[in-house]
Every structure is written in structure tokens, then in C-alpha cells.
Amino acid sequence: MMPTIPVDPERRRQVAAAMRAVLPDRCVLADPEDTRPYECDGLAAYRQLPMVVVLPDTEEQVLAVLKVCRELHVPVVPRGAGTGLSGGAQPLADGVVISTARLNRILRVDAYSRSAVVQPGVRNLAISEAAAPLGLYYAPDPSSQIACSIGGNVAENSGGVHCLKYGLTVHNVLRVRVATIEGEMIELGGAAPDAPGLDLLAVFIGSEGMLGIVTEVTVKLVPKPAAAQVIMASFGDVASGGDAVASVIAAGIIPAGLEMMDRTSSRMVEPFVKAGYDLDAAAILLCEADGTALEVAEEIERMAAVLKEAGATALTVSRDEGERLRFWSGRKNAFPAAGRISPDYYCMDGTIPRKRLAHVLERIEQMEDTFGLRCANVFHAGDGNMHPLILFDANQPGELDRAEAFGAAILALCVEVGGTITGEHGVGVEKIDSMCVQFGARELDAFFAVKRAFDPEMLLNPNKAIPTLNRCAELGAMRVHGGALPFAHLPRF
Amino acid sequence: MQHTIERFQEQVRSAAAARRPLRIRGGGTKDWYGQRIDAAGGETAILDTRAHAGIVDYEPSELVITARCGTPLAHIEAALAERRQMLPFEPPHFGPAATLGGTVAAGLSGPRRASAGALRDFVLGVKLLDGKGEVLTFGGQVMKNVAGYDVSRLLAGSLGTLGLLLEVSVKVLPVPLAGATLRFALGEADAIRKLNEWAGQPLPLSASCWHDGVLALRLSGARAAVDAAVRALGGEPLADDARFWQDVREQRHAFFDGDAPLWRLALPPATDALALGPQLIEWGGAQRWLRAPADAEADAAAFARRMRAAATAAGGHATLFRGGDKAVGVFQPLAPAIARIHERLKAGFDPANIFNPGRMV
């Protein structure tokens, strides 16, 4: 855990006064009792009181805030709904938090052009709710969709259960309006395809608030499938569950959702949600089909055949919408359920090639012994995105440290098997050291070139996501060979 | 393959030292695309990628193929077809010599773009040779990855201006189980309206092409979905439709005959019919092709202004796609703040400005 740094009261007065000169009083929070709710995001183990919090109402105010930050050289941390899990919105003691909470209007929902224009503070689920009367919805559905904001989704390139078939945020956002730290409004992407020039929209999405402040988002809406049904399949061992996933894909089926839970997870959630899970199964696979009723029937039949062939010990197909939602409820509630059986849990997020699943789960099981902690596994099986939940008790001396070390070891394992240290939660402050495991000096250097192209003074969410070479070298994880380190002659330590 | 990369590195380093531009070139099938490379009066050396070829890894059950830049696109598609998979963005080849690297660098997508997504949506990872001659790796072979900035997608469609794509990993999808193409006699305005209405319904649309009073609509998906859509939509079935869509993709359709400059308007799909002359309309209304009068050399600039004004008014942009006088500007000019970001990115990846300089401007 990082130590909390005290805020300099004199500097706070100066910055708050400058902000009040450009914003209404109610939009500026500077007293610790007001800024306390902003001291962390969903990664609550890391806390830091911000110097000042601002909540602009308009795009003009966002630009005005950035101007003050530029002039006073104050770093800026953007914050959506604060549901991020990697500390991407963690404040800085000498920095301003700019919250998009008040930029929360749905500006337009249009059936004919199948798109919605919304402000960044609009909740993910609210977009689909607004589009529902038109028979449309916004496909990316992170588990936190009831609370998380679209601006945060853009920052993290969030996914969810649907993204195997319908894509991530990057596939479903058409355009963003961005206030640059240099004080200009730019538009990336557009309602027309293939905006001229380099694809800056693609690099902006998932940039963790380090390249600009989003003030408006145009999202793609897609037709709501007429029907959906889910198969719950049991497997006697995790490996055959993993192989079944590969068989479904190899059979040419792209399910609308394909999720796996291990026995620890299903036993953890069943008493809580009563989903009817097979508690004897080593792994449960949830396979969803969506489309027209005929299409769903056809796909369910094909999936069932493949799953049986792959050694499923039991198959249940949801008979109605209530049962479908109940089957999903356990998967969607795995995190809160972990909170009920363990004082604390640490949710990891890494992605692996699906074929390495059995190997990875076996290694995680060995790590449970090494680190002396339990780990439950829920898994976006369709796209290889794992969410091991490490259970621990922060009141037991050393357990948090062990949980963090366990997590880092899992991420290193993900990289080792050809995957990545984060599939959808972002790097933030949480995984910044693991970046040194995945990337070398040259790539980090290139990331900084991207960062400087948007933010030459490095004021936007500094020290998140992209570690300095210095940091990696101190960690001892940087693979530096001979002349591979750029500007090797410069002193760094 | 290591020695090929070393050869590329030598070529890049000596070009950088001499500040001499390099034209990155695969099969040369898209040489005509983009702005002329700015060689500042000197010669442009060619960096030929074709020796760096071959599929590195293909796992059908992972839905990912990784191949070297010089691999012929036709080889990739044949390997995928053997496992009943495909490149979902249906890239145009514009000639049998097209390579994977050139395809990704050009960033062009084909008929399935409106329903499946663009080329960049399917790029998962790249290995890049930058302007300093260093090999960098971004992204990977997994579908969900938010570690670091998504440089792989930034490179898709970058026209080789940031570096040489040595290797690319692309997401693939199963070939749909069933398909059909329907033809409707519809005027331009009605066709655009219908396309936008249909796109809001759960129909298995996978391509559209309107020209000269006829709308062709392709359906792909599960047998039940295609059959139901055929019943619901009516229209005349088109036999041998694979050939038809390939001709649209490769611009072998009669509309593309001749040497008249070809303009591409990319628009919000719901944009009403534009009274700009005969058009071929794809992507549910989002991509509209126009021919400039071939004999109006003097009016090229005026025509370009008309295209740009019409596209901008509709919220889109216009490209002088092929032929014509590039002096009028191939691409729609960028807003100054965005142009500045481009310049810094270029300087970051290619500090000596050797890769295809000016081609994207």
C-alpha cells in the first residue's frame, strides 16, 4: 500500500481560489470532509486525499479548469463514477480531481441513425435504458454497468459478458469530444466511418484519462435481440471445461456470452444468489445464444451437442427469462459474494490465450499454497479474460502484502503464457509495476511519445498506467540489454 | 527471418542517418492510394517487405492469426478458409499481390464493414520497426487487452508513416453458416431510408450496395435467421452472389470502369441522398463513391471543393481515392489541434521523417 501524502494547505488555498474564479462555488471542493469521498476509486486499498476536487457543469468549464491547471502547473486526475478497479482515478496530493459527475445528460438518442450522444457522466446502463423503447441498446456491459459512467468506460475500454460477440468500448464508440490539456476542443472519430488521419480515437479509448478530458461521446446502438437463452454446463474438471470452450469456438459458434466459474466460485455464490448451480462440478460453463427465436433455438442445439461431445456431465437450458437471469446472477454477483465470505478480496484481471486455461488454473492452485491464501476463479471464457479473486483479511498482518504478491505473480503468469496483465480494468496505479514485466524499454518509450503528443507537459493523470524506465529498473523487472535502453548514457538512478 | 529483419534495420538506419525517405512497399497494389510521397526533390528508395512472409501462428479456436507483413493476403484467406474462418472486414486486395502488411497499413475495409466493423477493429497486436530501426511489440494475440496505449490500432491505416509493420495479429471469425443476396428496385433516397430502417432491426445484414436504381442486400448468419429475413424482406434473390460482392470489393463493378477520378465520401449512414451525380453506395449509406468528370482538368479543384463541402455539411469527409490530380489534396485536411498531435506522433515514432513522408497529409 502506498503511503498517504499530506496536502499543502497553502497550495490548496491558491488552487481552490483560482478554480473558484472560473467555476461556481458549488463546483469546487477543497475541505477534507468534502474531498474525502474522492480519496479512492474501486481499488479501496489505495487512498490519497486530493488537493482540490472540481465538478464542472459544462464543457466551457472543463476548458477553464484545464487552463487554471496549465497556468499553475497542477496535475489533473479525471474521474468518472469512481468504480474503476485499478486506481486509475486515484488522486494526487498536489493535484486536482476533475469529476464528470455533473456532465450527465443524454443529449440525443436516435433510432434512425442507431446512435446516442451523451455526456461522459451518463451511466452505462442508462444509455441502454434510454434506447430500449426504440428496440436498441448499447452492447458493452461491464459488470458495474449500473453505476459506471460512459466516460470511465472510454478511459478503460471496458468490456463485459457481451464483448466476445459485440466488441469492447473501442468497437462501439463512434466519436468523442475531448478537451485537450492545451486548451482546445478536438473531435476524434465521427458518425461517418474512417475519420481522416491516424486513428486517434482508437488510441484514446483505453488511455486511462492520460490524453484528454472527454466531454461528449457518440455511441453506436445495436438492435436488441428478440430472444436469448443460456446453457449451464457442468464439467468434472477444469481442463475439460476449457477444452469445451475451444470446441464451441472451433465449431464456428460465437456465443453472446461464454463464462466459466470454478467450484470455489460457485460454492461461494450459491448460498447468496441461489442460482441452482451444480456444486459438485469442478467448473460451470454458461453459454448464451441471442438473436431471433429460431436462431437461438438453432444455436442452443448446436452448442449443446458440442458441449456434450466435449464431456459435459450435465446440461441445463434456461426455460424462461427469469431462469436465464438467475443463471447469470451468480456470475454477475461473484464479487459481492466474495465480500460475504471473506473480509477482503482482491480482484485480479489478466487475459490469456484460452488454450492455456487449464495450465494457468493449475499454477494458480499451486500459488494458493505458496502464498497461503485462497483464490476463486471467474472467467470470461470466450475472450480469455480471467478474474481471479484472492481472498484475504487485511486485519491479519501481512495478508494484504501476500495478496498483492499473489496478484502480481498471476499477472506475470498471464504474460508468460502469451497474455496480458489487464483485459479490462486498466493498469492505473495497481498494475504499473506489472507493466515492466510485459513491456520493454522501447515500448515504454513509445508510450511516452504517445502521451507527449497529447499532453506535452505531462499534467494529465501523471504516473499512472505507463511506468518510467527508472521505476522498472528499480523494480528489477526491466529487461535491459546492452544498448537497448534509449539514451543509455543519461544518468537514471 | 531474423536476417530479413536485420536487413530492414540496416536499411532504416542508413536512411535515417542520411535523412532519405523510404517507400514501404509490399505487392504495390495500393501504390496509387494516398498523397504522393514527399521526397524533397531526391529519390525515394523502396523498402520491399515481400521477403518477410509467412504465417507465424494460427489457432482457429483462439480466433487469431499472426503473420508477417509480406504474406500475400490470398495465402491468409486460403488458410482461414480451410478452417471455415475469415477476415471479417473483407479487405479489398486491388490485385493478386496484396500483402497483409499493406492491407493493415492502408486500413481499407470491404463490404462487411457496416455490420462487422472496420479493419482496425480486428487488429490485436503488431510488431513494428520504428524510425530508429528498433523492433517494438504492441498488443498481442488476445482479444481483451488494455495494457498501455492501443498503438496497434493506431498503426492500422497509418499508411506506413509511423513505421514498418513487421508482423500483425488479427482477430478472425467463423464463416457464416448461411447466406443470401436480395435485390430491390429502389431509388437512391428510398434505398438509403430502407437501409437505415433495416439496420435498426435484428436482421442478419452483412453488406449493401446501391447503384442505378438497384439495391443489393446481403444476409449472412444462421440458416434460420437468413431464411426468416429472406421471407420478411422480399426482393429478388441473386444467384452467384459471391462474385458480385467480390466485384464490389475489388472495384470491378462497371461503375468503377474508366479513368475518371474516383471520390469516396464517408458519411453518417443516415445522410439523405446527395444530389452530386451518379453514385455507388455501400455500407448502409456510409460509403458513397462518385466519379469526377474526367475531362475537366481545370475544374478539378472546384470539384474537390464541392465534394469536401458536401461531405463536411453532412458530418463526414471526402477522399480523392484514386486517379485525378493529387494537388487538390487526397484527404480531408485535419483540424490544426489534431494535425499537431499527428506531427508529434510522427516525430516520436519516426524522428528522421523517413517513412512514407507526406503520404497521409
Side-chain angles (χ1 to χ4, degrees):
Chain A
M1 187 155 10
M2 297 198 334
T4 294
I5 301 164
V7 174
D8 173 356
E10 189 42 50
R11 178 74 165 159
R12 167 154 54 201
R13 267 192 295 279
Q14 181 200 10
V15 172
M19 290 298 174
R20 289 199 177 98
V22 298
L23 294 177
D25 267 5
R26 62 184 167 78
C27 297
V28 182
L29 310 177
D31 293 336
E33 57 266 37
D34 295 330
T35 56
R36 182 78 60 197
Y38 297 86
E39 69 178 354
C40 67
D41 58 13
L43 185 69
Y46 294 70
R47 290 167 194 270
Q48 170 64 53
L49 206 59
M51 181 167 64
V52 171
V53 177
V54 293
L55 300 105
D57 292 309
T58 65
E59 190 175 279
E60 293 70 37
Q61 290 176 358
V62 172
L63 283 174
V65 164
L66 295 181
K67 183 157 185 272
V68 169
C69 293
R70 215 162 50 240
E71 285 168 1
L72 298 180
H73 210 78
V74 183
V76 190
V77 177
R79 179 186 170 100
T83 56
L85 291 169
S86 59
Q90 196 200 7
L92 297 164
D94 60 350
V96 165
V97 167
I98 179 164
S99 163
T100 55
R102 286 204 172 126
L103 295 165
N104 61 356
R105 284 184 303 138
I106 295 178
L107 302 173
R108 201 171 72 234
V109 180
D110 183 27
Y112 186 56
S113 66
R114 287 108 43 219
S115 61
V117 182
V118 302
Q119 292 185 325
V122 171
R123 288 175 307 112
N124 174 297
L125 191 61
I127 302 175
S128 289
E129 284 168 356
L134 308 173
L136 302 169
Y137 78 116
Y138 176 65
D141 56 345
S143 295
S144 58
Q145 68 175 156
I146 191 165
C148 64
S149 68
I150 189 71
N153 290 174
V154 167
E156 303 296 341
N157 193 14
S158 309
V161 163
H162 278 118
C163 62
L164 174 64
K165 186 166 174 180
Y166 296 97
L168 305 156
T169 305
V170 71
H171 303 110
N172 288 278
V173 164
L174 299 172
R175 160 194 164 272
V176 291
R177 257 176 89 76
V178 175
T180 72
I181 189 71
E182 296 183 285
E184 284 164 293
M185 293 307 306
I186 55 173
E187 296 209 354
L188 307 179
D194 311 339
L198 295 167
D199 197 341
L200 300 183
L201 178 61
V203 83
F204 188 88
I205 291 176
S207 62
E208 306 199 29
M210 296 171 73
L211 303 183
I213 309 291
V214 178
T215 61
E216 203 176 282
V217 186
T218 304
V219 300
K220 190 164 96 179
L221 301 175
V222 293
K224 222 176 151 159
Q229 242 181 327
V230 64
I231 301 178
M232 180 170 72
S234 309
F235 290 89
D237 61 283
V238 167
S240 52
D243 292 345
V245 170
S247 305
V248 169
I249 306 278
I253 304 168
I254 303 294
L258 186 53
E259 301 279 318
M260 189 191 250
M261 299 169 75
D262 69 0
R263 187 187 284 138
T264 310
S265 301
S266 47
R267 289 191 174 170
M268 179 173 80
V269 297
E270 183 60 22
F272 181 35
V273 298
K274 303 196 169 46
Y277 290 156
D278 178 354
L279 299 180
D280 295 327
I284 291 176
L285 209 55
L286 293 169
C287 274
E288 179 154 294
D290 71 5
T292 63
L294 280 170
E295 223 176 331
V296 170
E298 185 181 313
E299 193 167 296
I300 289 283
E301 194 181 315
R302 292 181 63 223
M303 285 198 298
V306 174
L307 293 170
K308 266 185 216 148
E309 177 74 15
T313 53
L315 283 185
T316 319
V317 180
S318 64
R319 282 161 302 186
D320 52 44
E321 189 60 8
E323 192 164 55
R324 185 182 78 87
L325 294 175
R326 199 163 68 247
F327 285 179
W328 278 115
S329 65
R331 168 62 189 89
K332 294 228 170 194
N333 287 296
F335 295 2
R340 282 168 58 110
I341 65 159
S342 174
D344 298 282
Y345 67 93
Y346 186 31
C347 170
M348 294 312 293
D349 162 48
T351 308
I352 56 167
R354 281 180 293 253
K355 63 182 170 187
R356 306 305 301 275
L357 175 65
H359 167 75
V360 167
L361 291 179
E362 199 178 296
R363 291 272 298 274
I364 290 178
E365 211 175 297
Q366 291 161 5
M367 288 181 197
E368 289 186 288
D369 294 335
T370 313
F371 293 97
L373 295 171
R374 282 181 304 154
C375 181
N377 283 289
V378 293
F379 183 55
H380 297 301
D383 47 39
N385 187 196
M386 316 186 62
H387 290 308
L389 295 172
I390 301 167
L391 310 177
F392 70 100
D393 180 354
N395 288 327
Q396 298 301 316
E399 282 212 2
L400 173 62
D401 291 340
R402 287 215 307 278
E404 288 187 339
F406 192 168
I410 291 174
L411 298 183
L413 174 60
C414 290
V415 174
E416 185 191 312
V417 300
T420 170
I421 58 164
T422 172
E424 57 183 2
H425 293 176
V427 174
V429 293
E430 180 200 21
K431 294 182 198 155
I432 194 156
D433 289 335
S434 295
M435 284 288 281
C436 308
V437 178
Q438 188 169 343
F439 294 101
R442 295 164 189 161
E443 286 82 13
L444 295 177
D445 219 35
F447 288 146
F448 278 114
V450 173
K451 166 80 171 151
R452 280 192 301 268
F454 285 84
D455 176 20
E457 292 181 63
M458 311 289 258
L459 284 176
L460 284 168
N461 219 4
N463 305 323
K464 304 270 172 71
I466 315 294
T468 59
L469 299 176
N470 208 346
R471 183 179 180 115
C472 289
E474 275 173 12
L475 189 77
M478 181 58 92
R479 298 157 292 171
V480 180
H481 318 285
L485 188 70
F487 312 110
H489 58 286
L490 297 178
R492 290 179 191 275
F493 304 102
Chain B
M1 283 300 152
Q2 195 50 41
H3 75 278
T4 321
I5 295 180
E6 281 163 16
R7 212 156 33 91
F8 291 158
Q9 285 179 305
E10 268 168 42
Q11 201 180 350
V12 165
R13 285 181 184 138
S14 68
R19 306 219 156 225
R20 265 189 38 177
L22 286 176
R23 169 190 286 272
I24 303 174
R25 193 168 191 265
T29 53
K30 295 161 197 82
D31 271 349
W32 44 265
Y33 183 59
Q35 202 60 260
R36 233 174 246 116
I37 290 176
D38 174 15
E43 282 287 292
T44 309
I46 286 177
L47 195 166
D48 188 331
T49 65
R50 284 173 299 178
H52 195 57
I55 293 171
V56 177
D57 193 14
Y58 173 37
E59 286 281 345
S61 73
E62 301 282 333
L63 299 174
V64 178
I65 190 164
T66 301
R68 299 190 187 97
C69 55
T71 314
L73 192 51
H75 285 195
I76 307 254
E77 289 177 339
L80 295 174
E82 259 177 48
R83 308 301 295 265
R84 288 199 52 79
Q85 295 189 335
M86 62 174 188
L87 297 174
F89 47 96
E90 286 185 311
H93 293 221
F94 296 132
T99 61
L100 177 67
T103 300
V104 174
L108 301 174
S109 312
R112 206 177 294 267
R113 159 67 157 111
S115 58
L119 175 139
R120 69 102 160 169
D121 290 321
F122 294 89
V123 172
L124 298 178
V126 300
K127 205 182 261 184
L128 177 81
L129 186 62
D130 74 5
K132 289 173 263 181
E134 306 278 9
V135 178
L136 295 86
T137 307
F138 298 103
Q141 297 183 305
V142 292
M143 270 165 230
K144 264 163 120 181
N145 180 0
V146 291
Y149 303 121
D150 196 343
V151 175
S152 314
R153 288 196 172 93
L154 177 72
L155 294 167
S158 63
L159 286 175
T161 56
L162 299 181
L164 165 63
L165 294 166
L166 288 169
E167 207 173 286
V168 188
S169 295
V170 182
K171 181 182 167 185
V172 301
L173 284 178
V175 172
L177 294 168
T181 295
L182 302 172
R183 281 156 56 94
F184 303 84
L186 281 172
E188 185 185 355
D190 288 338
I192 292 169
R193 189 175 46 77
K194 279 281 180 205
L195 284 169
N196 280 283
E197 284 171 10
W198 286 333
Q201 295 166 20
L203 292 165
L205 306 176
S206 70
S208 64
C209 173
W210 178 90
H211 178 60
D212 200 15
V214 179
L215 171 67
L217 190 69
R218 187 176 65 185
L219 306 160
S220 314
R223 180 86 265 165
V226 171
D227 289 349
V230 167
R231 278 195 302 275
L233 294 173
E236 284 292 312
L238 174 67
D240 192 19
D241 66 333
R243 153 83 56 90
F244 173 82
W245 291 110
Q246 216 175 63
D247 285 349
V248 170
R249 187 189 80 191
E250 298 301 327
Q251 303 196 331
R252 290 189 301 241
H253 186 287
F255 173 83
F256 298 100
D257 286 350
D259 296 328
L262 176 66
W263 280 81
R264 170 186 187 252
L265 269 60
L267 306 172
T271 305
D272 288 338
L274 299 173
L276 293 170
Q279 291 166 48
L280 185 135
I281 301 178
E282 288 187 84
W283 300 0
Q287 178 163 259
R288 304 187 192 185
W289 300 99
L290 277 128
R291 307 306 297 265
D295 51 351
E297 281 292 314
D299 287 344
F303 192 83
R305 275 197 300 277
R306 236 176 103 214
M307 292 299 108
R308 296 246 142 83
T312 308
H317 53 95
T319 305
L320 174 55
F321 193 75
R322 193 170 195 161
D325 179 3
K326 289 177 190 281
V328 302
V330 168
F331 300 108
Q332 190 109 351
L334 302 171
I338 292 189
R340 209 161 52 237
I341 295 171
H342 276 67
E343 282 158 23
R344 292 184 193 138
L345 285 169
K346 174 76 171 161
F349 283 87
D350 177 19
N353 193 28
I354 54 167
F355 291 123
N356 293 358
R359 190 165 184 185
M360 202 171 200
V361 180

